[in-house]
Structures are given as C-alpha cells and as structure tokens.
Amino acid sequence: TVLGDYGHTVVASPDYVARHGAPEHPHDLVEHQVVAIRLERVWSTWPFSRGSEAARVEVTPQLVVTHADMLDDLVRRGEGVTVLPDFVAAKGVADGSLVPLLAEWALPRMPAYALHAPRKRLARIVEEVLDTLRDAMRAGASRAAAAARS
C-alpha cells in the first residue's frame, strides 16, 4: 500500500557553512566534505533538478555510517554536508541546528510503502493505522515544505 512520498533536503550545520561556505550549484558539492549513510548501498549520485535544468553529481563521501541517528549527529556537529529525508531535516532546520542548502534544486521524491499480507479486505484497525500513516506523511510533507520556504 502506498502511504505517500517524501523529498530530500541537502543540509549542513551553521558551523560547517561558516567554515566552508555554502554550495551555490550542485556541482560545488564535490568540493565539500560529504557524510553519507549506507543502507543497501551508499547513495553517491545525487540527481538534482531545477525546472528543466538537471545536474547529476557524483559525490565521494568522506564519512559513511550505517545509522540515521549517527548521520544526523555528525552533520549537526559540523562534520559535513548530507542529504536527509525532508521530514527528518525539517526539525533541525526549524530549530536552527541545520541549514538547508541548494533550496532551489530538488532531489527525487521517494515513495513510502506499508507492506502487509495480501487480503481482499484488511481488518478495520489495519485500515485505520494506514490512514493515520498517510495523514502523517501528508502533514510531514507540509511542515517540510514550510520549513524549506522560511
């Protein structure tokens, strides 16, 4: 079942930006310290778009971690630039511990799924949980969009 989708935000700490500057174009990221997460693989090609313009950037992460909390912590401590799901980045942007970078450029949106056993009709409680998750995805996307605009 599709719950919705989410975007991504390139972020760094205010301290990192003060020391290294902010990239003005996605290709500038190759000059920055990149911190990445390894799930099934490291996402090292970042496909940006701005209107009809596209920019594919091959980054070489200097630090790779396997846990999202560690990634978030390293970036907040000024260790580099990373890409976070917009709903994760929104809190740090709102409290000032993260700075959104390249805000006029978009990264691909990703679908979010709930996996469940195939049935003609799901139990009512399962349908309610899925509806709640869909609502939370929409609310998170709205908060992330508002944070990106501010």
PDB file of all heavy atoms in Angstrom, residues 60-101:
ATOM      1  N   THR A  60      31.795  11.883  -3.304  1.00  0.00           N
ATOM      2  CA  THR A  60      32.642  10.878  -2.670  1.00  0.00           C
ATOM      3  C   THR A  60      32.566  11.129  -1.170  1.00  0.00           C
ATOM      4  O   THR A  60      33.228  12.031  -0.652  1.00  0.00           O
ATOM      5  CB  THR A  60      34.097  10.991  -3.160  1.00  0.00           C
ATOM      6  OG1 THR A  60      34.104  10.876  -4.579  1.00  0.00           O
ATOM      7  CG2 THR A  60      34.960   9.911  -2.535  1.00  0.00           C
ATOM      8  N   PRO A  61      31.741  10.356  -0.472  1.00  0.00           N
ATOM      9  CA  PRO A  61      31.610  10.577   0.970  1.00  0.00           C
ATOM     10  C   PRO A  61      32.934  10.328   1.691  1.00  0.00           C
ATOM     11  O   PRO A  61      33.609   9.342   1.440  1.00  0.00           O
ATOM     12  CB  PRO A  61      30.564   9.553   1.403  1.00  0.00           C
ATOM     13  CG  PRO A  61      29.841   9.185   0.150  1.00  0.00           C
ATOM     14  CD  PRO A  61      30.843   9.309  -0.953  1.00  0.00           C
ATOM     15  N   GLN A  62      33.275  11.259   2.569  1.00  0.00           N
ATOM     16  CA  GLN A  62      34.467  11.087   3.395  1.00  0.00           C
ATOM     17  C   GLN A  62      34.139  10.284   4.645  1.00  0.00           C
ATOM     18  O   GLN A  62      35.010   9.664   5.223  1.00  0.00           O
ATOM     19  CB  GLN A  62      35.050  12.446   3.790  1.00  0.00           C
ATOM     20  CG  GLN A  62      35.775  13.154   2.664  1.00  0.00           C
ATOM     21  CD  GLN A  62      34.835  13.793   1.638  1.00  0.00           C
ATOM     22  OE1 GLN A  62      33.714  14.148   1.958  1.00  0.00           O
ATOM     23  NE2 GLN A  62      35.296  13.911   0.414  1.00  0.00           N
ATOM     24  N   LEU A  63      32.868  10.312   5.049  1.00  0.00           N
ATOM     25  CA  LEU A  63      32.400   9.526   6.189  1.00  0.00           C
ATOM     26  C   LEU A  63      31.146   8.780   5.755  1.00  0.00           C
ATOM     27  O   LEU A  63      30.258   9.360   5.121  1.00  0.00           O
ATOM     28  CB  LEU A  63      32.038  10.433   7.370  1.00  0.00           C
ATOM     29  CG  LEU A  63      33.176  11.172   8.063  1.00  0.00           C
ATOM     30  CD1 LEU A  63      32.622  12.236   9.001  1.00  0.00           C
ATOM     31  CD2 LEU A  63      34.029  10.190   8.838  1.00  0.00           C
ATOM     32  N   VAL A  64      31.080   7.500   6.089  1.00  0.00           N
ATOM     33  CA  VAL A  64      29.895   6.689   5.793  1.00  0.00           C
ATOM     34  C   VAL A  64      29.493   5.986   7.080  1.00  0.00           C
ATOM     35  O   VAL A  64      30.326   5.360   7.743  1.00  0.00           O
ATOM     36  CB  VAL A  64      30.174   5.645   4.684  1.00  0.00           C
ATOM     37  CG1 VAL A  64      28.951   4.781   4.439  1.00  0.00           C
ATOM     38  CG2 VAL A  64      30.607   6.336   3.393  1.00  0.00           C
ATOM     39  N   VAL A  65      28.213   6.118   7.438  1.00  0.00           N
ATOM     40  CA  VAL A  65      27.696   5.497   8.655  1.00  0.00           C
ATOM     41  C   VAL A  65      26.550   4.567   8.285  1.00  0.00           C
ATOM     42  O   VAL A  65      26.046   4.591   7.166  1.00  0.00           O
ATOM     43  CB  VAL A  65      27.240   6.559   9.674  1.00  0.00           C
ATOM     44  CG1 VAL A  65      28.413   7.433  10.096  1.00  0.00           C
ATOM     45  CG2 VAL A  65      26.124   7.418   9.119  1.00  0.00           C
ATOM     46  N   THR A  66      26.134   3.760   9.244  1.00  0.00           N
ATOM     47  CA  THR A  66      25.061   2.800   8.972  1.00  0.00           C
ATOM     48  C   THR A  66      23.807   3.077   9.787  1.00  0.00           C
ATOM     49  O   THR A  66      22.884   2.267   9.782  1.00  0.00           O
ATOM     50  CB  THR A  66      25.539   1.358   9.254  1.00  0.00           C
ATOM     51  OG1 THR A  66      25.969   1.282  10.610  1.00  0.00           O
ATOM     52  CG2 THR A  66      26.653   0.956   8.306  1.00  0.00           C
ATOM     53  N   HIS A  67      23.779   4.200  10.481  1.00  0.00           N
ATOM     54  CA  HIS A  67      22.619   4.504  11.315  1.00  0.00           C
ATOM     55  C   HIS A  67      22.230   5.967  11.127  1.00  0.00           C
ATOM     56  O   HIS A  67      23.077   6.861  11.176  1.00  0.00           O
ATOM     57  CB  HIS A  67      22.941   4.226  12.788  1.00  0.00           C
ATOM     58  CG  HIS A  67      21.738   4.153  13.648  1.00  0.00           C
ATOM     59  ND1 HIS A  67      21.116   5.277  14.148  1.00  0.00           N
ATOM     60  CD2 HIS A  67      21.007   3.103  14.072  1.00  0.00           C
ATOM     61  CE1 HIS A  67      20.073   4.916  14.856  1.00  0.00           C
ATOM     62  NE2 HIS A  67      19.976   3.602  14.825  1.00  0.00           N
ATOM     63  N   ALA A  68      20.937   6.211  10.909  1.00  0.00           N
ATOM     64  CA  ALA A  68      20.450   7.565  10.625  1.00  0.00           C
ATOM     65  C   ALA A  68      20.724   8.537  11.769  1.00  0.00           C
ATOM     66  O   ALA A  68      21.045   9.708  11.525  1.00  0.00           O
ATOM     67  CB  ALA A  68      18.960   7.525  10.300  1.00  0.00           C
ATOM     68  N   ASP A  69      20.626   8.093  13.014  1.00  0.00           N
ATOM     69  CA  ASP A  69      20.891   8.987  14.149  1.00  0.00           C
ATOM     70  C   ASP A  69      22.347   9.444  14.160  1.00  0.00           C
ATOM     71  O   ASP A  69      22.647  10.588  14.476  1.00  0.00           O
ATOM     72  CB  ASP A  69      20.551   8.306  15.478  1.00  0.00           C
ATOM     73  CG  ASP A  69      19.060   8.169  15.708  1.00  0.00           C
ATOM     74  OD1 ASP A  69      18.279   8.887  15.038  1.00  0.00           O
ATOM     75  OD2 ASP A  69      18.666   7.337  16.547  1.00  0.00           O
ATOM     76  N   MET A  70      23.261   8.543  13.804  1.00  0.00           N
ATOM     77  CA  MET A  70      24.680   8.902  13.754  1.00  0.00           C
ATOM     78  C   MET A  70      24.924   9.912  12.637  1.00  0.00           C
ATOM     79  O   MET A  70      25.662  10.892  12.823  1.00  0.00           O
ATOM     80  CB  MET A  70      25.545   7.666  13.543  1.00  0.00           C
ATOM     81  CG  MET A  70      27.030   7.965  13.576  1.00  0.00           C
ATOM     82  SD  MET A  70      28.033   6.490  13.359  1.00  0.00           S
ATOM     83  CE  MET A  70      27.842   5.763  14.976  1.00  0.00           C
ATOM     84  N   LEU A  71      24.282   9.713  11.496  1.00  0.00           N
ATOM     85  CA  LEU A  71      24.404  10.655  10.385  1.00  0.00           C
ATOM     86  C   LEU A  71      23.932  12.038  10.813  1.00  0.00           C
ATOM     87  O   LEU A  71      24.633  13.042  10.625  1.00  0.00           O
ATOM     88  CB  LEU A  71      23.589  10.156   9.189  1.00  0.00           C
ATOM     89  CG  LEU A  71      23.548  11.063   7.968  1.00  0.00           C
ATOM     90  CD1 LEU A  71      24.914  11.144   7.305  1.00  0.00           C
ATOM     91  CD2 LEU A  71      22.513  10.550   6.982  1.00  0.00           C
ATOM     92  N   ASP A  72      22.760  12.092  11.419  1.00  0.00           N
ATOM     93  CA  ASP A  72      22.186  13.353  11.885  1.00  0.00           C
ATOM     94  C   ASP A  72      23.130  14.025  12.888  1.00  0.00           C
ATOM     95  O   ASP A  72      23.400  15.225  12.797  1.00  0.00           O
ATOM     96  CB  ASP A  72      20.814  13.077  12.499  1.00  0.00           C
ATOM     97  CG  ASP A  72      20.065  14.342  12.864  1.00  0.00           C
ATOM     98  OD1 ASP A  72      19.905  15.219  11.995  1.00  0.00           O
ATOM     99  OD2 ASP A  72      19.632  14.447  14.025  1.00  0.00           O
ATOM    100  N   ASP A  73      23.662  13.253  13.821  1.00  0.00           N
ATOM    101  CA  ASP A  73      24.563  13.794  14.843  1.00  0.00           C
ATOM    102  C   ASP A  73      25.842  14.356  14.218  1.00  0.00           C
ATOM    103  O   ASP A  73      26.276  15.452  14.566  1.00  0.00           O
ATOM    104  CB  ASP A  73      24.893  12.707  15.870  1.00  0.00           C
ATOM    105  CG  ASP A  73      25.737  13.236  17.014  1.00  0.00           C
ATOM    106  OD1 ASP A  73      25.330  14.229  17.643  1.00  0.00           O
ATOM    107  OD2 ASP A  73      26.808  12.657  17.268  1.00  0.00           O
ATOM    108  N   LEU A  74      26.450  13.628  13.298  1.00  0.00           N
ATOM    109  CA  LEU A  74      27.685  14.091  12.666  1.00  0.00           C
ATOM    110  C   LEU A  74      27.473  15.398  11.909  1.00  0.00           C
ATOM    111  O   LEU A  74      28.296  16.309  11.981  1.00  0.00           O
ATOM    112  CB  LEU A  74      28.227  13.023  11.712  1.00  0.00           C
ATOM    113  CG  LEU A  74      28.887  11.821  12.363  1.00  0.00           C
ATOM    114  CD1 LEU A  74      29.107  10.717  11.338  1.00  0.00           C
ATOM    115  CD2 LEU A  74      30.200  12.227  13.015  1.00  0.00           C
ATOM    116  N   VAL A  75      26.374  15.491  11.193  1.00  0.00           N
ATOM    117  CA  VAL A  75      26.114  16.701  10.417  1.00  0.00           C
ATOM    118  C   VAL A  75      25.839  17.880  11.343  1.00  0.00           C
ATOM    119  O   VAL A  75      26.355  18.982  11.135  1.00  0.00           O
ATOM    120  CB  VAL A  75      24.966  16.472   9.413  1.00  0.00           C
ATOM    121  CG1 VAL A  75      24.562  17.760   8.727  1.00  0.00           C
ATOM    122  CG2 VAL A  75      25.398  15.440   8.379  1.00  0.00           C
ATOM    123  N   ARG A  76      25.055  17.663  12.389  1.00  0.00           N
ATOM    124  CA  ARG A  76      24.782  18.745  13.347  1.00  0.00           C
ATOM    125  C   ARG A  76      26.056  19.220  14.043  1.00  0.00           C
ATOM    126  O   ARG A  76      26.149  20.377  14.435  1.00  0.00           O
ATOM    127  CB  ARG A  76      23.765  18.300  14.389  1.00  0.00           C
ATOM    128  CG  ARG A  76      22.354  18.206  13.838  1.00  0.00           C
ATOM    129  CD  ARG A  76      21.428  17.603  14.875  1.00  0.00           C
ATOM    130  NE  ARG A  76      20.149  17.268  14.301  1.00  0.00           N
ATOM    131  CZ  ARG A  76      19.035  17.960  14.507  1.00  0.00           C
ATOM    132  NH1 ARG A  76      19.052  19.022  15.279  1.00  0.00           N
ATOM    133  NH2 ARG A  76      17.916  17.579  13.946  1.00  0.00           N
ATOM    134  N   ARG A  77      27.047  18.326  14.198  1.00  0.00           N
ATOM    135  CA  ARG A  77      28.322  18.702  14.831  1.00  0.00           C
ATOM    136  C   ARG A  77      29.284  19.363  13.849  1.00  0.00           C
ATOM    137  O   ARG A  77      30.412  19.676  14.206  1.00  0.00           O
ATOM    138  CB  ARG A  77      28.984  17.479  15.444  1.00  0.00           C
ATOM    139  CG  ARG A  77      28.262  16.990  16.681  1.00  0.00           C
ATOM    140  CD  ARG A  77      29.028  15.945  17.411  1.00  0.00           C
ATOM    141  NE  ARG A  77      29.775  15.084  16.498  1.00  0.00           N
ATOM    142  CZ  ARG A  77      30.339  13.943  16.832  1.00  0.00           C
ATOM    143  NH1 ARG A  77      30.247  13.525  18.062  1.00  0.00           N
ATOM    144  NH2 ARG A  77      30.981  13.229  15.954  1.00  0.00           N
ATOM    145  N   GLY A  78      28.874  19.549  12.607  1.00  0.00           N
ATOM    146  CA  GLY A  78      29.705  20.270  11.647  1.00  0.00           C
ATOM    147  C   GLY A  78      30.668  19.429  10.851  1.00  0.00           C
ATOM    148  O   GLY A  78      31.628  19.948  10.284  1.00  0.00           O
ATOM    149  N   GLU A  79      30.433  18.115  10.777  1.00  0.00           N
ATOM    150  CA  GLU A  79      31.359  17.231  10.084  1.00  0.00           C
ATOM    151  C   GLU A  79      31.180  17.197   8.567  1.00  0.00           C
ATOM    152  O   GLU A  79      31.991  16.591   7.871  1.00  0.00           O
ATOM    153  CB  GLU A  79      31.250  15.803  10.638  1.00  0.00           C
ATOM    154  CG  GLU A  79      31.622  15.690  12.092  1.00  0.00           C
ATOM    155  CD  GLU A  79      33.069  16.094  12.358  1.00  0.00           C
ATOM    156  OE1 GLU A  79      33.940  15.861  11.507  1.00  0.00           O
ATOM    157  OE2 GLU A  79      33.321  16.665  13.437  1.00  0.00           O
ATOM    158  N   GLY A  80      30.112  17.813   8.048  1.00  0.00           N
ATOM    159  CA  GLY A  80      29.958  17.819   6.597  1.00  0.00           C
ATOM    160  C   GLY A  80      28.545  18.107   6.148  1.00  0.00           C
ATOM    161  O   GLY A  80      27.687  18.546   6.919  1.00  0.00           O
ATOM    162  N   VAL A  81      28.343  17.828   4.874  1.00  0.00           N
ATOM    163  CA  VAL A  81      27.082  18.033   4.170  1.00  0.00           C
ATOM    164  C   VAL A  81      26.455  16.668   3.933  1.00  0.00           C
ATOM    165  O   VAL A  81      27.162  15.694   3.669  1.00  0.00           O
ATOM    166  CB  VAL A  81      27.347  18.712   2.804  1.00  0.00           C
ATOM    167  CG1 VAL A  81      26.089  18.820   1.974  1.00  0.00           C
ATOM    168  CG2 VAL A  81      27.991  20.064   2.993  1.00  0.00           C
ATOM    169  N   THR A  82      25.131  16.587   4.006  1.00  0.00           N
ATOM    170  CA  THR A  82      24.460  15.332   3.701  1.00  0.00           C
ATOM    171  C   THR A  82      23.095  15.595   3.106  1.00  0.00           C
ATOM    172  O   THR A  82      22.641  16.735   3.032  1.00  0.00           O
ATOM    173  CB  THR A  82      24.336  14.425   4.947  1.00  0.00           C
ATOM    174  OG1 THR A  82      24.075  13.085   4.516  1.00  0.00           O
ATOM    175  CG2 THR A  82      23.238  14.889   5.884  1.00  0.00           C
ATOM    176  N   VAL A  83      22.452  14.523   2.687  1.00  0.00           N
ATOM    177  CA  VAL A  83      21.063  14.554   2.228  1.00  0.00           C
ATOM    178  C   VAL A  83      20.237  13.817   3.267  1.00  0.00           C
ATOM    179  O   VAL A  83      20.579  12.693   3.663  1.00  0.00           O
ATOM    180  CB  VAL A  83      20.911  13.844   0.861  1.00  0.00           C
ATOM    181  CG1 VAL A  83      19.455  13.686   0.491  1.00  0.00           C
ATOM    182  CG2 VAL A  83      21.643  14.614  -0.213  1.00  0.00           C
ATOM    183  N   LEU A  84      19.170  14.473   3.732  1.00  0.00           N
ATOM    184  CA  LEU A  84      18.254  13.847   4.681  1.00  0.00           C
ATOM    185  C   LEU A  84      16.847  13.860   4.095  1.00  0.00           C
ATOM    186  O   LEU A  84      16.500  14.781   3.350  1.00  0.00           O
ATOM    187  CB  LEU A  84      18.229  14.616   6.009  1.00  0.00           C
ATOM    188  CG  LEU A  84      19.477  14.586   6.864  1.00  0.00           C
ATOM    189  CD1 LEU A  84      19.304  15.496   8.075  1.00  0.00           C
ATOM    190  CD2 LEU A  84      19.803  13.170   7.303  1.00  0.00           C
ATOM    191  N   PRO A  85      16.023  12.878   4.450  1.00  0.00           N
ATOM    192  CA  PRO A  85      14.607  12.983   4.084  1.00  0.00           C
ATOM    193  C   PRO A  85      14.065  14.298   4.631  1.00  0.00           C
ATOM    194  O   PRO A  85      14.445  14.722   5.741  1.00  0.00           O
ATOM    195  CB  PRO A  85      13.961  11.784   4.774  1.00  0.00           C
ATOM    196  CG  PRO A  85      15.075  10.801   4.924  1.00  0.00           C
ATOM    197  CD  PRO A  85      16.303  11.643   5.187  1.00  0.00           C
ATOM    198  N   ASP A  86      13.216  14.949   3.865  1.00  0.00           N
ATOM    199  CA  ASP A  86      12.753  16.276   4.279  1.00  0.00           C
ATOM    200  C   ASP A  86      12.066  16.271   5.635  1.00  0.00           C
ATOM    201  O   ASP A  86      12.219  17.206   6.416  1.00  0.00           O
ATOM    202  CB  ASP A  86      11.885  16.931   3.207  1.00  0.00           C
ATOM    203  CG  ASP A  86      10.727  16.078   2.744  1.00  0.00           C
ATOM    204  OD1 ASP A  86      10.415  15.042   3.367  1.00  0.00           O
ATOM    205  OD2 ASP A  86      10.109  16.462   1.724  1.00  0.00           O
ATOM    206  N   PHE A  87      11.363  15.190   5.978  1.00  0.00           N
ATOM    207  CA  PHE A  87      10.690  15.147   7.276  1.00  0.00           C
ATOM    208  C   PHE A  87      11.676  15.000   8.425  1.00  0.00           C
ATOM    209  O   PHE A  87      11.383  15.377   9.551  1.00  0.00           O
ATOM    210  CB  PHE A  87       9.617  14.049   7.324  1.00  0.00           C
ATOM    211  CG  PHE A  87      10.145  12.651   7.089  1.00  0.00           C
ATOM    212  CD1 PHE A  87      10.571  11.873   8.144  1.00  0.00           C
ATOM    213  CD2 PHE A  87      10.187  12.123   5.809  1.00  0.00           C
ATOM    214  CE1 PHE A  87      11.048  10.588   7.940  1.00  0.00           C
ATOM    215  CE2 PHE A  87      10.658  10.836   5.584  1.00  0.00           C
ATOM    216  CZ  PHE A  87      11.095  10.068   6.653  1.00  0.00           C
ATOM    217  N   VAL A  88      12.877  14.489   8.157  1.00  0.00           N
ATOM    218  CA  VAL A  88      13.924  14.402   9.177  1.00  0.00           C
ATOM    219  C   VAL A  88      14.638  15.754   9.296  1.00  0.00           C
ATOM    220  O   VAL A  88      14.888  16.241  10.397  1.00  0.00           O
ATOM    221  CB  VAL A  88      14.939  13.286   8.846  1.00  0.00           C
ATOM    222  CG1 VAL A  88      16.113  13.288   9.817  1.00  0.00           C
ATOM    223  CG2 VAL A  88      14.245  11.928   8.826  1.00  0.00           C
ATOM    224  N   ALA A  89      14.931  16.366   8.164  1.00  0.00           N
ATOM    225  CA  ALA A  89      15.646  17.645   8.156  1.00  0.00           C
ATOM    226  C   ALA A  89      14.815  18.781   8.722  1.00  0.00           C
ATOM    227  O   ALA A  89      15.362  19.735   9.281  1.00  0.00           O
ATOM    228  CB  ALA A  89      16.079  17.985   6.735  1.00  0.00           C
ATOM    229  N   ALA A  90      13.492  18.701   8.609  1.00  0.00           N
ATOM    230  CA  ALA A  90      12.608  19.815   8.981  1.00  0.00           C
ATOM    231  C   ALA A  90      12.815  20.275  10.424  1.00  0.00           C
ATOM    232  O   ALA A  90      12.846  21.475  10.693  1.00  0.00           O
ATOM    233  CB  ALA A  90      11.148  19.435   8.748  1.00  0.00           C
ATOM    234  N   LYS A  91      12.989  19.343  11.362  1.00  0.00           N
ATOM    235  CA  LYS A  91      13.155  19.729  12.763  1.00  0.00           C
ATOM    236  C   LYS A  91      14.452  20.499  12.970  1.00  0.00           C
ATOM    237  O   LYS A  91      14.473  21.539  13.635  1.00  0.00           O
ATOM    238  CB  LYS A  91      13.118  18.502  13.669  1.00  0.00           C
ATOM    239  CG  LYS A  91      13.237  18.856  15.133  1.00  0.00           C
ATOM    240  CD  LYS A  91      13.178  17.654  16.038  1.00  0.00           C
ATOM    241  CE  LYS A  91      13.301  18.109  17.474  1.00  0.00           C
ATOM    242  NZ  LYS A  91      13.705  17.063  18.367  1.00  0.00           N
ATOM    243  N   GLY A  92      15.547  20.018  12.404  1.00  0.00           N
ATOM    244  CA  GLY A  92      16.822  20.706  12.534  1.00  0.00           C
ATOM    245  C   GLY A  92      16.829  22.072  11.863  1.00  0.00           C
ATOM    246  O   GLY A  92      17.427  23.015  12.374  1.00  0.00           O
ATOM    247  N   VAL A  93      16.157  22.172  10.723  1.00  0.00           N
ATOM    248  CA  VAL A  93      16.052  23.466  10.044  1.00  0.00           C
ATOM    249  C   VAL A  93      15.237  24.425  10.906  1.00  0.00           C
ATOM    250  O   VAL A  93      15.610  25.583  11.095  1.00  0.00           O
ATOM    251  CB  VAL A  93      15.430  23.306   8.633  1.00  0.00           C
ATOM    252  CG1 VAL A  93      15.094  24.660   8.023  1.00  0.00           C
ATOM    253  CG2 VAL A  93      16.377  22.516   7.725  1.00  0.00           C
ATOM    254  N   ALA A  94      14.139  23.918  11.480  1.00  0.00           N
ATOM    255  CA  ALA A  94      13.278  24.770  12.319  1.00  0.00           C
ATOM    256  C   ALA A  94      13.991  25.251  13.574  1.00  0.00           C
ATOM    257  O   ALA A  94      13.823  26.406  13.976  1.00  0.00           O
ATOM    258  CB  ALA A  94      11.998  24.013  12.686  1.00  0.00           C
ATOM    259  N   ASP A  95      14.817  24.384  14.200  1.00  0.00           N
ATOM    260  CA  ASP A  95      15.483  24.809  15.437  1.00  0.00           C
ATOM    261  C   ASP A  95      16.844  25.461  15.187  1.00  0.00           C
ATOM    262  O   ASP A  95      17.541  25.855  16.119  1.00  0.00           O
ATOM    263  CB  ASP A  95      15.589  23.658  16.445  1.00  0.00           C
ATOM    264  CG  ASP A  95      16.574  22.552  16.052  1.00  0.00           C
ATOM    265  OD1 ASP A  95      17.456  22.766  15.193  1.00  0.00           O
ATOM    266  OD2 ASP A  95      16.465  21.447  16.621  1.00  0.00           O
ATOM    267  N   GLY A  96      17.240  25.584  13.922  1.00  0.00           N
ATOM    268  CA  GLY A  96      18.479  26.280  13.577  1.00  0.00           C
ATOM    269  C   GLY A  96      19.739  25.444  13.641  1.00  0.00           C
ATOM    270  O   GLY A  96      20.830  25.949  13.395  1.00  0.00           O
ATOM    271  N   SER A  97      19.626  24.149  13.959  1.00  0.00           N
ATOM    272  CA  SER A  97      20.823  23.312  14.034  1.00  0.00           C
ATOM    273  C   SER A  97      21.263  22.796  12.664  1.00  0.00           C
ATOM    274  O   SER A  97      22.371  22.290  12.525  1.00  0.00           O
ATOM    275  CB  SER A  97      20.605  22.144  14.997  1.00  0.00           C
ATOM    276  OG  SER A  97      19.557  21.309  14.541  1.00  0.00           O
ATOM    277  N   LEU A  98      20.404  22.938  11.670  1.00  0.00           N
ATOM    278  CA  LEU A  98      20.737  22.572  10.290  1.00  0.00           C
ATOM    279  C   LEU A  98      20.366  23.721   9.363  1.00  0.00           C
ATOM    280  O   LEU A  98      19.371  24.414   9.584  1.00  0.00           O
ATOM    281  CB  LEU A  98      19.984  21.312   9.854  1.00  0.00           C
ATOM    282  CG  LEU A  98      20.324  20.018  10.573  1.00  0.00           C
ATOM    283  CD1 LEU A  98      19.412  18.898  10.110  1.00  0.00           C
ATOM    284  CD2 LEU A  98      21.781  19.632  10.349  1.00  0.00           C
ATOM    285  N   VAL A  99      21.152  23.862   8.309  1.00  0.00           N
ATOM    286  CA  VAL A  99      20.901  24.878   7.291  1.00  0.00           C
ATOM    287  C   VAL A  99      20.582  24.150   5.988  1.00  0.00           C
ATOM    288  O   VAL A  99      21.378  23.315   5.545  1.00  0.00           O
ATOM    289  CB  VAL A  99      22.156  25.766   7.089  1.00  0.00           C
ATOM    290  CG1 VAL A  99      21.950  26.760   5.959  1.00  0.00           C
ATOM    291  CG2 VAL A  99      22.533  26.456   8.382  1.00  0.00           C
ATOM    292  N   PRO A 100      19.431  24.453   5.370  1.00  0.00           N
ATOM    293  CA  PRO A 100      19.156  23.836   4.064  1.00  0.00           C
ATOM    294  C   PRO A 100      20.055  24.467   3.003  1.00  0.00           C
ATOM    295  O   PRO A 100      20.278  25.681   3.001  1.00  0.00           O
ATOM    296  CB  PRO A 100      17.683  24.152   3.822  1.00  0.00           C
ATOM    297  CG  PRO A 100      17.389  25.345   4.654  1.00  0.00           C
ATOM    298  CD  PRO A 100      18.345  25.315   5.819  1.00  0.00           C
ATOM    299  N   LEU A 101      20.602  23.640   2.143  1.00  0.00           N
ATOM    300  CA  LEU A 101      21.481  24.098   1.074  1.00  0.00           C
ATOM    301  C   LEU A 101      20.834  23.795  -0.270  1.00  0.00           C
ATOM    302  O   LEU A 101      20.078  22.830  -0.402  1.00  0.00           O
ATOM    303  CB  LEU A 101      22.837  23.394   1.165  1.00  0.00           C
ATOM    304  CG  LEU A 101      23.561  23.508   2.506  1.00  0.00           C
ATOM    305  CD1 LEU A 101      24.786  22.606   2.524  1.00  0.00           C
ATOM    306  CD2 LEU A 101      23.933  24.949   2.797  1.00  0.00           C
TER     307      LEU A 101
END
